[in-house]
Amino acid sequence: MNKKLLFLILLYITVIYLTLPVGRYAVNFLYSSVGKENLSIIMNVILLISVTGIVYVFKNRLKKLLILFPVIVLIGFLFISLDRPEERIHFLQYAILGVMFFKFFEFTDSVKRAFLSLFSVVVVGAVDETIQYFLPNRVGDLKDVMINSISGVLGVCIGRLYWSS
């Protein structure tokens, strides 16, 4: 078991959970500072940088990059279809978490590895939304659990393509 990666995953989840009470204030601050339209543009640039990073990582694996192309298109479509910037932030957060979980569960067989990774992302996303349900300035939403889960699935797909032989 990779203890360093486990620590990093737990730290990452902790940061996600600890920022929940201030997330709405941060987004409202960004709205008032740069405007909703500009914030949307900034989030799209972050997506473009992320996709560019994914393509760069797979640059020597043309076959895998071609397999990944529909996933990249799906990521872009889903990302742009999200109305609120915080949904886009969660989308990226949970995709990254999916990749991290997939790498962490490398000690098990392929099917179990994918299942454990997906299950872990769904649980973290459900706990995230449950916490938000009890916060006065946030709303826990089943739709957000689905967004978190779908982005986690995409992250697991990226991890599987990258680390499979």
Side-chain angles (χ1 to χ4, degrees):
M1 179 178 359
N2 187 337
K3 291 181 182 181
K4 288 180 183 178
L5 182 57
L6 178 60
F7 176 77
L8 183 63
I9 291 171
L10 293 175
L11 181 64
Y12 188 80
I13 293 169
T14 301
V15 169
I16 290 173
Y17 291 165
L18 288 178
T19 57
L20 291 175
V22 297
R24 179 74 58 208
Y25 300 116
V27 169
N28 288 338
F29 173 76
L30 290 172
Y31 278 157
S32 64
S33 299
V34 298
K36 188 172 184 176
E37 178 94 9
N38 290 334
L39 186 56
S40 182
I41 291 169
I42 291 167
M43 292 305 301
N44 290 338
V45 168
I46 290 171
L47 173 67
L48 184 60
I49 291 169
S50 300
V51 168
T52 303
I54 291 169
V55 170
Y56 179 77
V57 166
F58 283 90
K59 71 178 184 211
N60 294 328
R61 301 169 182 180
L62 184 59
K63 184 178 176 185
K64 288 185 180 186
L65 186 58
L66 291 175
I67 294 170
L68 192 60
F69 182 74
V71 175
I72 291 172
V73 170
L74 182 61
I75 290 170
F77 175 74
L78 290 173
F79 191 82
I80 290 171
S81 70
L82 299 174
D83 296 329
R84 299 183 325 236
E86 55 267 36
E87 287 177 337
R88 293 179 181 188
I89 291 168
H90 272 215
F91 191 87
L92 290 173
Q93 285 176 329
Y94 281 87
I96 292 168
L97 191 59
V99 171
M100 292 169 72
F101 273 128
F102 190 80
K103 176 64 176 163
F104 175 73
F105 289 117
E106 67 186 349
F107 57 85
T108 186
D109 66 79
S110 182
V111 174
K112 193 181 289 186
R113 182 180 189 184
F115 174 78
L116 288 171
S117 302
L118 296 174
F119 179 77
S120 299
V121 170
V122 171
V123 168
V124 172
V127 170
D128 180 331
E129 294 305 317
T130 303
I131 292 169
Q132 289 185 56
Y133 178 80
F134 292 103
L135 293 174
N137 65 335
R138 300 300 297 263
V139 176
D141 190 1
L142 191 57
K143 175 187 163 198
D144 289 344
V145 174
M146 293 305 298
I147 291 169
N148 298 345
S149 300
I150 290 168
S151 61
V153 166
L154 293 173
V156 169
C157 288
I158 291 168
R160 185 174 187 285
L161 282 170
Y162 183 75
W163 284 296
S164 66
S165 47

